[in-house]
Amino acid sequence: LQAYSAAGADCLYAPGLATREQISAVVKAVAPKPVNVLMGTPSELTVKDIEALGGRRISVGGALARAAWG
């Protein structure tokens, strides 16, 4: 992610973050760039939780398509 930041990315996207610790670590590592958190599967985290951890955008990826096909 730091290479993308150095190359000029406006918002950094890190798929696979699932825990508070992972989100917090990535947010701190790339600060002050905003981090987009992918929440495509059920999670105990709320929008407020992700905001408190420093996440600035939330994507659902293919979750809507999977729900429709399910």
Side-chain angles (χ1 to χ4, degrees):
L1 287 177
Q2 291 173 336
Y4 289 107
S5 179
D10 292 328
C11 183
L12 301 168
Y13 176 76
L17 302 179
T19 68
R20 295 172 190 276
E21 295 78 17
Q22 291 170 338
I23 295 168
S24 180
V26 169
V27 167
K28 288 176 185 172
V30 301
K33 297 281 186 165
V35 173
N36 181 1
V37 179
L38 174 64
M39 297 304 291
T41 58
S43 171
E44 67 179 33
L45 297 173
T46 66
V47 171
K48 290 285 186 189
D49 291 335
I50 294 169
E51 178 184 21
L53 293 167
R56 293 296 168 251
R57 293 180 64 189
I58 300 173
S59 295
V60 296
L64 296 177
R66 285 190 298 278
W69 285 105

